[in-house]
Amino acid sequence: MKPIRLPEPPGGSPMGVPDIFEGGVYGGVRRAVVIGNGFPASENQSIGLVRALGLEQKQTLFRVTRPRGGVNNWLLWLPVSLHKKLDYIIRQIYGCSRILLSGRGNKIDSLPSVNGGNMGLSSVLEADVKEIVAMAHETFEKDGPLLVVASGRDTISVASAIKRLASENVFVVQIQHPRTQLHRFDMVITPHHDYYPLTPRAREQVPRFLRSWITPREPPDRNVVLTVGALHQVDSAALRTAASAWHDEFAPLPKPLLVVNIGGPTSHCRYGVDLAKQLAASLHNVLVSCGSVRISFSRRTPEKISSIISKELGDHPKIYIWDGEEPNPHMGHLAWADAFVITPDSVSMVSEACSTGKPVYVIGAERCTWKFVEFHKSLRERGLVRPFTGLEDMSESWSYPPLNDTAEGANRVREALAHRGWRLKL
C-alpha cells in the first residue's frame, strides 16, 4: 500500500497556506476589539496597532468611561469600578437631597451628565466585559479568535477580565505598562522608559522606604514588547494619503516648511510662559532660513502660553497659527513639513514626528523629570531629535531611519499569534 501524502499548500492563496495548514479551521484572526478610555493619545495607540495588523476595517471600539463633573473630577485616581459605585452612592444621596430641598422651594441645578453623554460619546459602545466575552465565545466557530487591544490605566481591569474569562478565544494586548501582574495579558507593549524606576539613577531619586510602592518592580518578561516611543497611526501609506489630501494647501508654500507643535505642561514636564518666550525668540532667530512656519496648539496648551506665541509671532507674514477649527491639519503637517519643533511633554507627538525621518527639534527637554528624561535621552542617542536652540539653519536638513515602533509591535503580535497556532486572515 502506498503511503498517503497530504496535499502541498497551494501557492495561489494570499498567505500561501489554506486554513487547514493554519492551526485549524478556527485559527484565523479576522476581527479586533479596541478597548479605549476616551483619551485620543491612548486610543490612537490601539487603533494604530490594529491598523498595522490590517484589521482597521474589522474593528469595534468599546470605551471604558468614568463619571464626570463635580466631585467626580477629584476621584479620577480611583479604579473605575470603585469610582462608579461611589458615584452611584453620591447620586442616591443627591437624589434624596433634591427631594428634601425642592419641598422647601429651593432651586436645584442638575448634576453633570455621566460617562460623557454630553461629549458626543453616546455613539461608542460601553466596554461591558460580559458582552465582549459572550461575543468571543459565541462567534468563535464562525469568525475565529478575537484580537483585543487596550490602552490606558482605566482599561486594565476590563482587558484582564476578558482574558481570564475567554482565554481560549481571545488574544489580549495591553498597551502601556499595567504596573503589576503582567501575566493577565497575552502581550504587553510599552515604552522602554516605563522601566526607568528599575535603573540605578531612579533608585537614587526615591527614598528607600518608598521603593516598594514604585512600579514596575521586575524587569520585562517574555510577553513584554519594548518600544522607543508611543504607537500611532502614522506610516508611509498614511503620509502619502495626507500629502495628496493637503496638496493644494501646502504645495504652494515657500520652503522649507517648519511645523511647530506646542503641547502643555505635565507633572513630569513642567514649564510656563518662560518657555513660551524662549520658543518665540528662537523662532524669530530661525525665520531667516525658513520659507514658511505653521504653528499648532494642543487641547492641553494653557491660554497664557498660546497668547504669548500668538502675540509675538502671529503678525509675521511667514507664520500661520492654526485656529483650532476643523479640519485638523496635523496629518498634512506631518506629510509636508521639512522639519519640526516640538515641546517635550507629549511622547505621542514626538513619536509621530520621528516616524517621518525628518529633522525633529525639541525645546525644553531639560525641564523634564523622571522617566521623561530617559525618553528624550534615548531619542537623542539614536539621532532622532536635537535640542532647539534658535541657532539652526532650517535650510540644512538631516535624516535618520524613521521610528517604526507600531510596525515592529505588529510583527511581534503576528509572531505570538503564530506561536498559538493562529494567524491573521485579512
Side-chain angles (χ1 to χ4, degrees):
M1 180 179 294
K2 295 182 178 179
I4 298 175
R5 296 184 61 186
L6 291 174
E8 293 294 328
S13 64
M15 299 300 295
V17 183
D19 283 345
I20 193 172
F21 294 100
E22 296 181 351
V25 178
Y26 312 129
V29 178
R30 299 173 174 84
R31 68 255 165 83
V33 160
V34 171
I35 310 294
N37 61 359
F39 292 94
S42 293
E43 293 184 356
N44 188 46
Q45 297 201 60
S46 297
I47 295 171
L49 180 63
V50 170
R51 184 179 187 275
L53 291 167
L55 296 173
E56 69 273 16
Q57 300 300 321
K58 301 174 183 178
Q59 64 177 328
T60 304
L61 174 62
F62 293 82
R63 185 168 283 157
V64 178
T65 54
R66 286 180 177 270
R68 299 284 179 176
V71 69
N72 286 305
N73 292 337
W74 296 91
L75 302 176
L76 300 180
W77 57 275
L78 290 173
V80 176
S81 58
L82 179 59
H83 187 179
K84 289 185 175 180
K85 290 177 182 177
L86 187 58
D87 175 71
Y88 173 79
I89 295 172
I90 292 173
R91 286 178 176 275
Q92 294 299 107
I93 297 173
Y94 181 76
C96 295
S97 300
R98 287 174 62 90
I99 294 173
L100 292 174
L101 291 174
S102 61
R104 300 176 184 175
N106 294 318
K107 183 179 179 181
I108 306 296
D109 294 330
S110 298
L111 200 65
S113 60
V114 179
N115 293 344
N118 62 340
M119 299 170 59
L121 303 184
S122 57
S123 60
V124 179
L125 298 171
E126 177 71 23
D128 184 279
V129 172
K130 293 181 179 179
E131 178 184 348
I132 298 171
V133 168
M135 177 175 64
H137 284 311
E138 295 168 5
T139 62
F140 181 74
E141 291 191 9
K142 178 183 177 182
D143 298 319
L146 182 65
L147 176 67
V148 178
V149 183
S151 179
R153 180 171 64 92
D154 286 351
T155 69
I156 292 172
S157 60
V158 173
S160 60
I162 294 171
K163 169 63 178 175
R164 185 179 72 254
L165 298 172
S167 59
E168 299 299 317
N169 308 104
V170 297
F171 187 90
V172 178
V173 180
Q174 184 70 36
I175 301 174
Q176 298 181 329
H177 203 289
R179 301 305 168 197
T180 60
Q181 298 178 309
L182 274 59
H183 63 273
R184 294 175 292 171
F185 312 94
D186 292 295
M187 179 177 290
V188 172
I189 301 179
T190 191
H192 191 276
H193 61 259
D194 271 353
Y195 282 90
Y196 177 74
L198 298 181
T199 64
R201 180 176 178 179
R203 294 179 70 83
E204 291 175 358
Q205 296 175 271
V206 179
R208 185 177 298 275
F209 71 94
L210 290 178
R211 290 177 186 174
S212 61
W213 296 89
I214 305 297
T215 57
R217 303 185 187 94
E218 299 177 352
D221 205 346
R222 289 182 297 177
N223 68 328
V224 177
V225 176
L226 296 179
T227 63
V228 177
L231 306 189
H232 49 75
Q233 300 185 60
V234 180
D235 57 19
S236 57
L239 291 174
R240 285 194 298 269
T241 299
S244 176
W246 290 91
H247 176 274
D248 292 346
E249 180 165 348
F250 288 107
L253 294 179
K255 298 289 187 177
L257 169 59
L258 176 64
V259 167
V260 182
N261 290 331
I262 302 173
T266 65
S267 59
H268 291 305
C269 282
R270 299 183 183 277
Y271 58 87
V273 295
D274 54 339
L275 186 66
K277 292 177 180 179
Q278 178 186 338
L279 174 59
S282 296
L283 288 174
H284 266 299
N285 290 341
V286 301
L287 279 176
V288 65
S289 61
C290 294
S292 309
V293 178
R294 304 269 302 203
I295 300 176
S296 293
F297 303 110
S298 80
R299 284 172 292 186
R300 297 183 298 102
T301 308
E303 184 178 355
K304 60 185 179 181
I305 290 179
S306 59
S307 61
I308 287 176
I309 298 298
S310 299
K311 178 182 178 181
E312 296 293 329
L313 302 170
D315 294 332
H316 197 284
K318 285 188 177 183
I319 297 176
Y320 172 83
I321 300 177
W322 180 48
D323 59 8
E325 297 295 324
E326 294 293 340
N328 189 329
H330 179 61
M331 288 301 299
H333 285 169
L334 290 172
W336 283 94
D338 295 297
F340 302 91
V341 171
I342 304 176
T343 55
D345 47 275
S346 172
V347 174
S348 294
M349 201 158 57
V350 176
S351 298
E352 288 179 343
C354 289
S355 71
T356 67
K358 303 172 186 178
V360 177
Y361 298 94
V362 177
I363 184 168
E366 68 281 356
R367 300 166 185 252
C368 295
T369 60
W370 199 236
K371 64 181 182 179
F372 273 71
V373 174
E374 190 73 12
F375 170 61
H376 288 290
K377 176 184 175 185
S378 174
L379 296 181
R380 290 193 300 271
E381 290 176 346
R382 292 168 180 265
L384 302 178
V385 304
R386 296 177 183 179
F388 182 56
T389 64
L391 303 177
E392 293 80 6
D393 182 349
M394 290 301 169
S395 64
E396 296 181 0
S397 185
W398 48 277
S399 63
Y400 48 86
L403 193 60
N404 210 20
D405 284 333
T406 309
E408 292 173 3
N411 288 336
R412 292 292 298 273
V413 171
R414 291 188 185 95
E415 293 173 2
L417 289 173
H419 185 71
R420 288 187 62 169
W422 295 348
R423 68 185 305 168
L424 295 171
K425 289 288 291 182
L426 308 180

